[in-house]
Structure formats: C-alpha cells, structure tokens
Amino acid sequence: METGRRKGFKFSTYQAPEQSVFDKLLEIFTELITHTSGDFDEAIDWLRQLDKEYELTTPEYTIDDFIEDLKKKGYIREEIRPDGSGDGVTLSSKLEQNIRQQALKQIFGNLKRNGSGNHRTKYSGAGDEHTGEFRDYRFGDALEKISLTESLKNAQVNNGVDAFRLTEDDLVVEDSHHKAQMSTVLMIDISHSMILYGEDRITPAKKVAMALAELITTRYPKDTLDILVFGNDAWPIAIKDLPYLQVGPYHTNTVAGLQLAMDLLRRKRNTNKQIFMITDGKPSCIRESDGTYYMNSYGLDDYIVEKCYTMASQARKLHIPITTFMIAQDSYLQRFVREFTEANQGKAFYTGLKGLGEMIFEDYEANRKKRVK
C-alpha cells in the first residue's frame, strides 16, 4: 500500500549568502575611499592596516590580488601623474556609481520602497495614480476611468435586478492623483567647522548627498537634483565629484549658497521646487557688491543674519521651501534657524549626524505627496 506524500514548509536557520573575499574587501574599500575623499593610496593603506588586525584576506588572496582585480573589473585605472613621476590610480565611473549605491543601501536600505518615479500631489482628478476613492461621473471624464464594478452595483441598488438598467446617474469613476515632478537643490556646508572638534561631519554629509542622488536618478528619474557647496562662496558640483569633496579653510556664506540655489531652481520648469540645506555652523560671511568679503566668526552678526532672513523671504515669495538640517546643537544657533525657518515658512530638523540620511529621505518622500504653491 502506497503512503501519501506530505507537503509543507521546512524552516531552518537563516544562512547569509557566502561573500567572496573580493566582495568583502570591495565593501570596506568603498567605505574607506569615501572617508579619504577619493585618495586611493590612503584608502589602500587603511585597508592593509585593517587586514593585519582582522585578517580580511587569505594566503591565496591578498590585498595585491584585490588591487589587480579592481583594475581587471574596471573599478580603477592607472594614469600618468601630471609631473610624470609615475603611474597614478584614479577611480572609474563604475566605482563612483558603486560608492553611491552603497551609500543608498546604508542610509535608505531599511526603508520601504515607494512609487515609480513621480511625486504625488494632494489634488485628485484625471491623473494616473489610483486613490481607491470614488465619485460621481461628470461630463468629460474619460470612459476608461469609469469603475464598472461600482457602477453595476449602483444600477442594481437603484433599479433592482428584475428591471435592471444602467443610467448615467449610476456611473462612478475612481479618483486618481496627478503626478508632479520635483526639482531639488541640496546645499552642503564645507566650512572649516565641518571637521573641527574631532568630529568628521563632512563624510556623513557626502554620503547623504550620494544616497539622495542615487535615489532620485534610479527611482524618480523625472526629478532633478542639483548639488552645491558653500564656504566663502558657493558653487555647483557634479554628482560624480561627491566622493572627492573636502572641507576647506572657509567661513560660512549661507547667503551665497541660497542665491545660487534659487538661481538654479528658477531655470527649472517644474512646479514643485525645494532646497535642502545641511549645515553645522552659523553664517559668518557675505560677499559685498564691490566683491569684498565681510566676515565675522564671533557670535551671530546682525548684518549677516538679516541678509539670511531676506534670502529666506525671497525664497518664500518664489514658492521655494527650505528645509534646514542643523547638525550643531548650540541653542543660539537653533534660535537663528527657527527665525530663518519662520521667514521662509519652511522646516528645520535639529539633529546630530545619526539619522541624518533617514530624515532627509523621509522629508523628500513626504514632499512627494504635496504640491508646493
């Protein structure tokens, strides 16, 4: 007699997929290259030190083998240095993208994926994202928007099964949201205070920028992202330049950063526009109309602060909200940010470095759901 076969599920302890030595080293190397602002030799020196301490390699696969594989796989390339002193190593676009992808995974990897690339607004109508809500049919509504199931149900309720008939009064359509595009400018403070007091603040800021860039280009390709840095002056940088970004001996010219950000956004045709500003210090510098600089690093200078408030008000008139991510915890700086935010009617987050990326992601996602007027 044949016994019936039992079907079901067999549960076992999760086993992480085995990672090759190269993949393990690549993950660590990518982190190190971000901290060294793209300095390959310094990153490899750190990797060798970590290898001695944690035995990352094997007798069969050494750091030198890893470097050769980086070349073969197209992550790095050798070039002659300008002084002709020897072969230099530069990062390829493949490695730069890998750095952005790792930043995205680290910062946003645990957060839920959403959407397909466009920003929803709170306005319903003849859009293309379903809301699950219904309304009466109106003249001009497209036929494909009519909910057949709900309309037939109304016909049965209104007319009965025996005398079934479908009239215009029975028709309902499912509401949908318009989808809008978003133009974002991310401002990064690169003043000297971003590396003062024994705390590296610029690396987390770079990671956030790289993750946000990768998020927008892959998940929301219709959106635009411009990145600028501000110290004594402000200038735009390309996404590919982010791993090499360094702090300089600069004061903090917040006004110049805001002027450039608004200038970039004026050229965008999108209705939705916003500015994200990551900073840890007080505004301490402005450039006068004659090209000279007025600087004051001691306390909050009323002249400089008022210029910042004026820029915040101008952005508000242009319907450009500013979200400030304030890394410093000083109470008098927080007071400045509160008044700055009030002038713009924007938002402010007072945070340390921990959770900075998640906050920016959540705010970006939240702004997807509304149209800035």
Side-chain angles (χ1 to χ4, degrees), residues 130 132-135 137 142-155 166 170-175:
H130 298 293
E133 298 176 356
F134 299 94
R135 61 171 175 79
Y137 172 83
L143 294 179
E144 62 267 18
K145 296 294 183 182
I146 296 174
S147 173
L148 185 59
T149 302
E150 293 296 320
S151 299
L152 291 174
K153 183 172 71 175
N154 286 345
L166 182 67
D170 301 321
L171 299 178
V172 294
V173 298
E174 184 177 2
D175 254 351

Side-chain angles (χ1 to χ4, degrees), residues 346-365:
K347 287 182 287 185
F349 295 89
Y350 307 95
T351 175
L353 298 175
K354 187 176 181 181
L356 176 64
E358 286 84 350
M359 281 190 225
I360 289 183
F361 173 84
E362 288 168 0
D363 195 59
Y364 188 83
E365 289 286 278

Side-chain angles (χ1 to χ4, degrees), residues 236-302:
I237 62 171
I239 291 175
K240 65 181 180 63
D241 296 329
L242 280 169
Y244 314 102
L245 188 61
Q246 299 184 54
V247 167
Y250 306 126
H251 287 70
T252 308
N253 192 342
T254 307
V255 170
L258 293 170
Q259 286 174 333
L260 178 57
M262 284 190 283
D263 185 48
L264 291 169
L265 289 174
R266 282 191 191 97
R267 305 172 192 174
K268 308 297 182 185
R269 296 183 179 180
N270 297 344
T271 303
N272 291 347
K273 301 175 182 181
Q274 64 181 350
I275 296 172
F276 286 167
M277 179 168 65
I278 303 175
T279 182
D280 76 322
K282 59 185 176 294
S284 59
C285 170
I286 58 172
R287 189 174 184 179
E288 303 285 17
S289 56
D290 61 0
T292 61
Y293 293 91
Y294 174 77
M295 300 177 180
N296 185 359
S297 300
Y298 301 99
L300 283 170
D301 186 288
D302 290 339

Side-chain angles (χ1 to χ4, degrees), residues 14 19 75 133 137 189 195 216 264 295 306 331 361:
Y14 171 74
Q19 195 176 31
Y75 287 103
E133 298 176 356
Y137 172 83
D189 184 351
I195 55 170
I216 290 174
L264 291 169
M295 300 177 180
E306 286 301 321
S331 58
F361 173 84

Side-chain angles (χ1 to χ4, degrees), residues 52-225:
K52 289 179 182 178
E53 187 171 352
Y54 298 104
E55 297 181 351
L56 303 174
T57 61
T58 67
E60 295 78 24
Y61 194 89
T62 66
I63 297 296
D64 291 332
D65 294 325
F66 172 67
I67 295 173
E68 285 303 313
D69 277 350
L70 286 176
K71 296 175 185 175
K72 292 176 183 177
K73 296 176 185 290
Y75 287 103
I76 59 174
R77 58 180 180 269
E78 291 182 329
E79 292 183 353
I80 302 297
R81 294 191 179 100
D83 60 4
S85 59
D87 290 339
V89 175
T90 59
L91 312 186
S92 69
S93 58
K94 181 178 180 180
L95 182 56
E96 291 168 351
Q97 184 179 29
N98 184 271
I99 294 172
R100 295 195 298 270
Q101 289 172 344
Q102 182 160 314
L104 179 64
K105 180 181 176 183
Q106 286 179 347
I107 294 175
F108 303 144
N110 295 327
L111 297 173
K112 209 173 183 182
R113 290 185 63 86
N114 282 306
S116 59
N118 291 311
H119 296 261
R120 293 179 295 172
T121 73
K122 63 183 179 181
Y123 300 99
S124 61
D128 52 0
E129 183 167 328
H130 298 293
T131 66
E133 298 176 356
F134 299 94
R135 61 171 175 79
D136 293 337
Y137 172 83
R138 294 194 293 262
F139 178 77
D141 286 330
L143 294 179
E144 62 267 18
K145 296 294 183 182
I146 296 174
S147 173
L148 185 59
T149 302
E150 293 296 320
S151 299
L152 291 174
K153 183 172 71 175
N154 286 345
Q156 289 180 344
V157 171
N158 294 335
N159 305 310
V161 177
D162 295 334
F164 178 80
R165 59 194 179 91
L166 182 67
T167 69
E168 184 177 335
D169 294 334
D170 301 321
L171 299 178
V172 294
V173 298
E174 184 177 2
D175 254 351
S176 55
H177 280 304
H178 289 289
K179 286 187 177 181
Q181 295 174 336
M182 177 70 77
S183 289
T184 302
V185 172
L186 177 62
M187 298 173 50
I188 303 176
D189 184 351
I190 58 167
S191 61
H192 187 55
S193 59
M194 291 289 277
I195 55 170
L196 281 180
Y197 318 116
E199 185 173 44
D200 177 11
R201 296 168 174 173
I202 190 62
T203 298
K206 284 194 295 187
K207 281 189 177 182
V208 167
M210 289 188 290
L212 188 61
E214 191 67 13
L215 174 80
I216 290 174
T217 54
T218 57
R219 196 183 304 181
Y220 307 123
K222 294 182 180 179
D223 290 0
T224 67
L225 174 67

